[in-house]
């Protein structure tokens, strides 16, 4: 089942999609999708993993084998998307003045139960479901130390519009991710190419920090990031989950809305 958080007629509601695609509120009433403001699917912490796609890591191996790295990373390269980055379906994303902006299609794993030092075998028992994430970033110079300035601008992590129950996704390690800009495909990947699968990531992270209900693990972005410009509509589709849409706007010096 697909679930969403929305604002409707001035109230924050939870909603589901019925088999006919209608949006059903938590009181059983059908909601007018055109009058809904979509909200992020979760308000938990956002944990990202860089370099978790084979093609991306392989493309950078010559760089990592040179000074100062000497070898590719042996452990997950982690980063955090801070609360100010949280954005939603149909939300605007601000292009900072004088900067390049790149979307990042990713599968998001929504934690459903507290996870502390769990085994890989038990890791998926702690998952509520899966969502679409657009992990926006300025181009990065260092994958070993993802920069806060590049990753943590206002509105730089869109989530949604849905999260889908864990058991409704037969194999989260075989899902196509497609990025389109103004309707033109610009990037494509598959979770089959994840270096560290979801249970491995949950086990590694929960070994040294507790994952709580509502936290979202961003499993990585496939190779081929592209630049976007003011006015672009950026859509990310993950099969079986849905399409997340955002529009790029100009920085006028105010907050991202």
């Amino acid at each position: 089942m697909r679930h969403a958080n929305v604002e409707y007629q001035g109230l924050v509601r939870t909603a589901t999609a019925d088999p006919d695609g209608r949006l059903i509120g938590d009181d059983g009433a059908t909601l007018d999708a055109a009058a809904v403001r979509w909200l992020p699917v979760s308000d938990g912490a956002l944990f990202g993993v860089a370099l978790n796609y084979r093609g991306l890591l392989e493309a950078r191996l010559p760089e990592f084998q040179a000074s100062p790295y000497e070898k590719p990373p042996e452990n997950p390269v982690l980063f955090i998307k801070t609360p100010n980055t949280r954005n939603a379906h149909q939300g605007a994303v601000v292009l900072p003045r004088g900067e390049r902006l790149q979307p990042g299609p990713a599968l998001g794993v929504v934690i459903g139960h507290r996870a502390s030092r769990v085994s890989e075998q038990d890791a998926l028992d702690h998952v509520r479901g899966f969502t679409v994430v657009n992990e926006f970033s300025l181009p990065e110079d260092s994958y070993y130390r993802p920069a806060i300035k590049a990753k943590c601008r206002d509105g730089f992590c869109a989530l949604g519009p849905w999260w889908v129950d864990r058991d409704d996704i037969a194999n989260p390690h075989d899902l196509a991710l497609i990025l389109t800009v103004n309707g033109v495909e610009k990037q494509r990947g598959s979770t089959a190419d994840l270096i560290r699968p979801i249970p491995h990531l949950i086990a590694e992270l929960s070994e040294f920090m507790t994952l709580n209900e509502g936290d979202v693990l961003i499993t990585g972005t496939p190779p081929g990031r592209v630049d976007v410009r003011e006015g672009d509509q950026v859509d990310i589709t993950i099969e079986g989950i849905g399409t997340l849409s955002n529009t790029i706007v100009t920085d006028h010096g105010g907050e991202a809305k």
Side-chain angles (χ1 to χ4, degrees):
M1 183 175 289
R2 295 189 297 172
H3 309 264
N5 295 327
V6 300
E7 183 181 312
Y8 185 71
Q9 296 181 342
L11 299 175
V12 174
R13 313 276 293 274
T14 58
T16 57
D18 73 5
D20 296 322
R22 292 176 299 185
L23 195 61
I24 307 300
D26 45 13
D27 59 356
T30 300
L31 308 184
D32 178 3
V36 158
R37 184 171 75 90
W38 299 88
L39 304 175
V41 297
S42 177
D43 59 2
L46 307 172
F47 301 105
V49 184
L51 291 173
N52 200 33
Y53 273 82
R54 291 188 182 89
L56 182 59
L57 179 61
E58 290 167 359
R60 304 195 67 107
L61 282 178
E63 174 186 340
F64 290 139
Q65 290 166 350
S67 180
Y69 302 116
E70 307 296 347
K71 60 181 181 180
E74 297 176 352
N75 298 312
V77 179
L78 304 175
F79 60 92
I80 294 176
K81 300 292 275 195
T82 46
N84 63 295
T85 65
R86 196 174 283 111
N87 207 332
H89 177 58
Q90 297 180 351
V93 179
V94 174
L95 171 62
R97 289 193 190 98
E99 301 281 6
R100 293 164 53 204
L101 177 63
Q102 298 180 332
L107 175 67
V109 180
V110 184
I111 300 298
H113 303 286
R114 181 179 181 274
S116 177
R117 298 184 177 179
V118 301
S119 66
E120 287 190 45
Q121 181 179 354
D122 296 332
L124 288 180
D125 292 339
H126 296 264
V127 172
R128 176 193 298 167
F130 303 96
T131 191
V132 183
V133 178
N134 195 338
E135 190 270 297
F136 285 90
S137 179
L138 308 183
E140 300 169 74
D141 296 323
S142 172
Y143 275 94
Y144 266 80
R145 297 179 180 86
I148 291 177
K149 186 176 180 180
K151 293 286 190 184
C152 295
R153 304 292 182 98
D154 291 352
F156 266 26
C157 192
L159 307 150
W162 312 101
W163 66 266
V164 176
D165 291 320
R166 178 195 64 201
D167 293 340
D168 288 344
I169 301 297
N171 183 4
H173 300 102
D174 189 21
L175 301 176
L177 298 82
I178 302 170
L179 165 72
T180 64
V181 179
N182 302 324
V184 179
E185 183 176 318
K186 295 293 186 178
Q187 189 177 2
R188 178 183 288 264
S190 170
T191 57
D193 295 325
L194 289 174
I195 295 172
R196 293 177 174 85
I198 294 162
H200 185 96
L201 288 171
I202 292 174
E204 280 198 289
L205 267 67
S206 70
E207 177 63 27
F208 65 87
M209 67 179 180
T210 299
L211 300 175
N212 291 297
E213 180 179 355
D215 290 349
V216 178
L217 175 60
I218 305 165
T219 56
T221 294
R225 290 189 103 152
V226 298
D227 291 359
V228 291
R229 299 179 297 180
E230 177 191 357
D232 284 346
Q233 178 175 317
V234 180
D235 297 332
I236 293 176
T237 300
I238 300 182
E239 63 175 311
I241 301 178
T243 298
L244 170 66
S245 301
N246 296 98
T247 302
I248 311 303
V249 300
T250 302
D251 182 358
H252 292 295
E255 293 182 314
K257 300 296 185 183

